[in-house]
Structures are given as structure tokens and as C-alpha cells.
Amino acid sequence: MPATVVVGAQWGDEGKGKVVDLLAEGSDVVARYQGGNNAGHTIVEGDQVYKLHLVPSGILYPGTVCIIGNGTVVDPHALCKELDDLEARGLSLDTLRLSGNAHLIMPYHIALDGASEMKLGHFSIGTTRRGIGPCYVDKAARVGIRAQDLLDPKILREKLRVALVDKNDMLERLYDMPRMDPDRIADELIPAAERLQPFIADTALLLDQALRDGKRVLFEGAQGTMLDVDHGTYPFVTSSNPIAGGACAGLGVGPNRIDRILGVSKAYTTRVGEGPFPTELDDEDGRAIGERGHEFGTTTGRQRRTGWIDLVALRYAARLSGFTEIALTKLDVLSGFTRVRLCTAYRTREGEEIRDFPYHQSVFHNAAPVYEDMDGWSQDITGCQDIDDLPPAARAYVKRISDDIGVPITLIGTGQGRHEVIDQVGSN
Ligand code: GDP
Ligand code: IMO
Ligand code: MG
């Protein structure tokens, strides 16, 4: 049975955790393919709130195999803390697996992330300061430390020594920061190495076996399309490929193993960190969206920037990943607006109206949204589970989005809870 990928369609925080949790009920395997603990995926189950950063959002279902793939970057200390927290809440970790090829975030990555953001000052990216970028840099530079290195303390020490030659120069000379001792880092890794060793596995092989056995497999993206290092709003992006194609490299599966690609988008737009955002609102509407949607970052607690839905960006995301379906989350947050706005095109500085996402950063930076207005709805739709129970204006809004993108909306979020969703609404 082919696999399903869940992809963020915007700038992250679209509600992927909730969607993966919903689909995980019918899945045998859930695998994360990129990113690290910059991600924060929320699952609300009754009165319990889970904020997952590295562990796949399938962990709430006992028996579901949860894989942290080779394309992720893993802070061993952060992962151990997350595992301790989950275990303390009574969850079993027996089915968790960590790719031996996943790269490890080391203390110097975190130090360099923070130092480079400070140095960039006004031009900073607004990273989560979790060391994500510097860790992917080392992976590409071939001086990274991988999960499998935790299995051999001698190799680990050797690699840390090599990696720190340049890093210590950078820390000291470029950023005026203290040098780091490789042996100390290795010593501090011993408890984490012992804790994580049993989880380390050849996860690409495991996935191949699962797919051959006809198991139902789910690939969980982190971040979102507009944060993709190749296709997003560079340089205001993360350092990996959240788009669906990233799942193949990030897990070691062929593209022909994937047949369902579910793009997750909010019914409006949010962004955390710096960078251009054409539909951003700095007015009462924006504040109302932020308040009703509780738009604060799951990982850093930062206030998220808010705006109307951007169909230009959504069409782009659908194209890049080949969405076969869309999950539209947080529709309930838009209740109470007398009119809702959809950005259908951009107007360039020269006055030209464009419908395709511009490849050139300056065009995007100066893009002004072209809006289409639709009637809003006053009825509270929180918890609604049937498309027929939505007010006609809300239904029309969903249909307008689906028609524009040319992709069916098969899930509609109507609240935080696991069951606050309209499922399988077909092609509207
Ligand atoms: P992720 O990073 O894509 O998993 O998203 P986050 O968990 O960072 O942020 C999404 C937030 O919206 C979380 O607090 C979710 O509980 C919440 N959420 C998800 N879907 C819905 C929905 O349909 N309605 C409402 N009101 N909240 C939702
Ligand atoms: P989930 O998986 C929202 C943003 C940061 C910053 C940029 C680069 O929860 O959707 P990084 O630390 O990755 O180098 O920061 O990317 N960012 C996210 N924004 N949701 C996320 O993850 C994010 N992960 C990174 O705010 O702008
Ligand atoms: Mg998040």
C-alpha cells in the first residue's frame, strides 16, 4: 500500500500535528522526514495537550511505529527530554525508531545559531535558535555527527575533535565566544547516548519492509512550503525541504511509494520570524485572528504574525508538492467576521497583476495582495463535524478555495480537539 505525505502548505504551524494524529489512527507507521526541534506539533486529546518537537505525531496510538528519519536533525538532549516527558505521561516508546543517519545537533550548533542571528542584527532570520541551520551546514560540509556515532564512543570523540577545529576558530574569532572542549561534549553525551541507543535503526529498510508488507505508512512534514530552503522565501527559510519531495530523500523511499499528498493550510495565514508576508495584517482584523486562533508559537512562544489566506502561495505549494488533497484547518477562527478576504493575485510595484508565485525575491518583497471579498458568517462553528451544518457563507468560502487551487478539501478543522473536524467532505 503506498504512503501518504502530510505537508505544511504555508509558513508552518498549519495544524500538521492534529492532521497527522487524525490519520495516524488508521496508520501502521508514521515517519518524520526533515527538520528538528524547531518544529512544534500540537495534539489535543480531551483535556491533554501534547506538544511534540521531534517525536512523530503518531506516538499517541500504541503499536504505531514512529520513525525519526535520516533527513531530520536531532538534538540528543532535547530528544531525551521529550522522551522522558512522554513516558512520564504514560506513553509507550517501544515502537520509536531513530535513523542512524540522522544528524545530531551539537552545543556548538546552538551557539552558532544564536551568535549568527545576533551578528545579523537587523537582517536576522528570526530562527528558533535550536541550531538547525548550523547542523545542516555541517551535514553538507561532511563534518556532521550522526546518530550512529553514538554507538561508538571512540569515533564520536574523534569526530567531535575534527568538527571543533573550525568551529572553535569561528566561535572565538568571529563571535568572541568561548571555545568548546570536544571531550566535555562527548562526556555530556554519554547519558543521552545510552538512552537513545536502543532506538537507533536502519529506518529506510524498516520503511521498505512496511511498504512491501502493505502497511499503511504516513510521512509527517515539519515547517511548511514557504520555509523550504529551495522553494521558500529565501533567505527567510529553514534549512531543509518540507515539500513532499523531501520525504523521499529524508526517509530513503522512492517517489513511486507515495500516492497521496495532503497539504495542510490554515483558513488564513500566519508566520513566525522575519521575512516578507504579502497578506499580513497590522490592524484589528489581524489582532482578532491572532486572539481567536491563539497564535503563539508552539516552540518559542513568539507571537505569530497573521493575515488573510494567500491563494497565490497556496497554488504554488500545491504545485511544488503535487497536493492530491487539502486539509483546511482553523476555519472556526474566522467565525464572526462580517467579510473575509482571499488574496487571489499579487500586484507588482510596476502595477502588473500576477497569479503565479514570483521566483524573484524583489518582486515578492514588493508584492501587494489583490483581494476578493466574500461574506463572513457569525455562527460559532466550533466542533462542527458535518459540512451540511456549516453556514452557507463558510461552505462557499471553502468551495472558493478548493475551486481556485483545483484540489479537493477533504478535511476541515473546526477546533483544537481531535474530533473537532469535518472529515472526508469529498471534492465540495
Ligand atoms: P503544526 O506545527 O503544523 O503541527 O501546528 P501547531 O501545533 O504549531 O499550531 C497549530 C495550532 O492550532 C495548535 O495549537 C493546534 O491545536 C491548533 N489547531 C489545529 N487545528 C485547529 C482547528 O481546526 N481549529 C482551531 N481552533 N485550532 C486548531
Ligand atoms: P512547525 O513544524 C513555524 C521558522 C522560524 C524562522 C525560520 C528559520 O511547527 O510548523 P530555523 O530555526 O528553522 O532555522 O528558523 O523558520 N520556523 C517555523 N515557523 N513553524 C515551524 O515548525 C517552524 N520551524 C522553523 O521561525 O522564521
Ligand atoms: Mg508548529
Side-chain angles (χ1 to χ4, degrees), residues 9-15 263-272 289 293-296 304-310 314 326-331 333-334 397 401:
Q10 300 169 309
W11 276 284
D13 301 328
E14 298 90 349
V264 186
S265 168
K266 279 176 181 159
Y268 48 93
T269 312
T270 62
R271 172 163 210 176
V272 208
I289 291 175
H294 306 290
E295 295 298 351
F296 291 91
R304 296 174 183 147
R305 299 153 68 191
T306 54
W308 299 113
I309 198 159
D310 182 342
L314 207 48
I326 290 174
L328 191 71
T329 61
K330 302 190 99 162
L331 187 65
V333 173
L334 291 187
Y397 181 70
I401 296 168

Side-chain angles (χ1 to χ4, degrees), residues 11-16 32 34 36-41 52 113 125-134 221-224 227 235-239 271-275 298-300 302 304:
W11 276 284
D13 301 328
E14 298 90 349
K16 299 174 293 293
R32 269 276 305 269
Q34 43 71 236
N37 60 330
N38 48 349
H41 296 179
L52 300 168
D113 196 357
I125 290 159
T127 74
T128 58
R129 302 194 179 205
R130 298 294 190 271
I132 307 295
Q223 289 78 54
L227 290 171
F236 302 101
V237 294
T238 193
S239 302
R271 172 163 210 176
V272 208
E274 304 305 319
T298 311
T299 298
T300 57
R302 287 178 291 175
R304 296 174 183 147

Side-chain angles (χ1 to χ4, degrees), residues 27-310:
S27 302
D28 302 298
V29 183
V30 181
R32 269 276 305 269
Y33 57 88
Q34 43 71 236
N37 60 330
N38 48 349
H41 296 179
T42 314
I43 304 173
V44 179
E45 186 203 20
D47 60 357
Q48 292 291 309
V49 180
Y50 296 90
K51 294 181 183 217
L52 300 168
H53 300 286
L54 280 159
V55 173
S57 303
I59 198 71
L60 266 59
Y61 294 96
T64 301
V65 174
C66 285
I67 289 176
I68 302 175
N70 58 276
T72 63
V73 285
V74 175
D75 178 335
H77 303 292
L79 179 56
C80 286
K81 186 178 177 308
E82 193 169 334
L83 298 187
D84 291 346
D85 289 348
L86 291 174
E87 255 179 353
R89 295 176 74 173
L91 294 182
S92 162
L93 302 172
D94 290 351
T95 52
L96 184 71
R97 299 289 177 269
L98 166 63
S99 167
N101 289 349
H103 279 251
L104 299 182
I105 297 176
M106 292 288 112
Y108 45 86
H109 293 135
I110 298 169
L112 288 169
D113 196 357
S116 112
E117 283 285 278
M118 292 270 281
K119 193 151 199 159
L120 282 169
H122 182 61
F123 299 103
S124 73
I125 290 159
T127 74
T128 58
R129 302 194 179 205
R130 298 294 190 271
I132 307 295
C135 185
Y136 278 115
V137 166
D138 277 4
K139 173 179 177 174
R142 294 157 294 180
V143 291
I145 312 289
R146 295 186 294 170
Q148 59 181 280
D149 297 327
L150 295 176
L151 302 172
D152 189 329
K154 238 178 94 185
I155 291 185
L156 180 66
R157 262 170 220 276
E158 199 56 46
K159 288 197 173 179
L160 280 168
R161 238 172 252 131
V162 172
L164 271 170
V165 174
D166 282 358
K167 296 295 173 312
N168 271 332
D169 273 355
M170 278 171 83
L171 285 169
E172 196 177 45
R173 295 192 197 172
L174 208 58
Y175 297 120
D176 204 17
M177 289 176 79
R179 296 174 73 84
M180 289 192 179
D181 174 13
D183 284 321
R184 185 161 172 204
I185 294 176
D187 289 344
E188 285 172 356
L189 271 173
I190 293 170
E194 280 170 8
R195 175 92 165 100
L196 297 180
Q197 266 177 20
F199 300 109
I200 298 173
D202 182 348
T203 53
L205 183 63
L206 283 180
L207 277 169
D208 182 62
Q209 281 161 350
L211 287 161
R212 277 175 200 274
D213 292 347
K215 296 272 165 61
R216 294 155 304 175
V217 176
L218 201 56
F219 299 151
E220 174 179 2
Q223 289 78 54
T225 306
M226 305 304 283
L227 290 171
D228 186 282
V229 67
D230 284 280
H231 302 282
T233 50
Y234 193 91
F236 302 101
V237 294
T238 193
S239 302
S240 65
N241 290 115
I243 59 166
C248 297
L251 288 166
V253 296
N256 57 347
R257 308 306 273 280
I258 298 169
D259 78 333
R260 185 178 176 211
I261 299 152
L262 182 63
V264 186
S265 168
K266 279 176 181 159
Y268 48 93
T269 312
T270 62
R271 172 163 210 176
V272 208
E274 304 305 319
F277 177 1
T279 63
E280 182 167 18
L281 293 169
D282 185 20
D283 61 8
E284 269 317 303
D285 285 346
R287 278 185 282 284
I289 291 175
E291 254 167 53
R292 293 177 204 173
H294 306 290
E295 295 298 351
F296 291 91
T298 311
T299 298
T300 57
R302 287 178 291 175
Q303 192 168 354
R304 296 174 183 147
R305 299 153 68 191
T306 54
W308 299 113
I309 198 159
D310 182 342

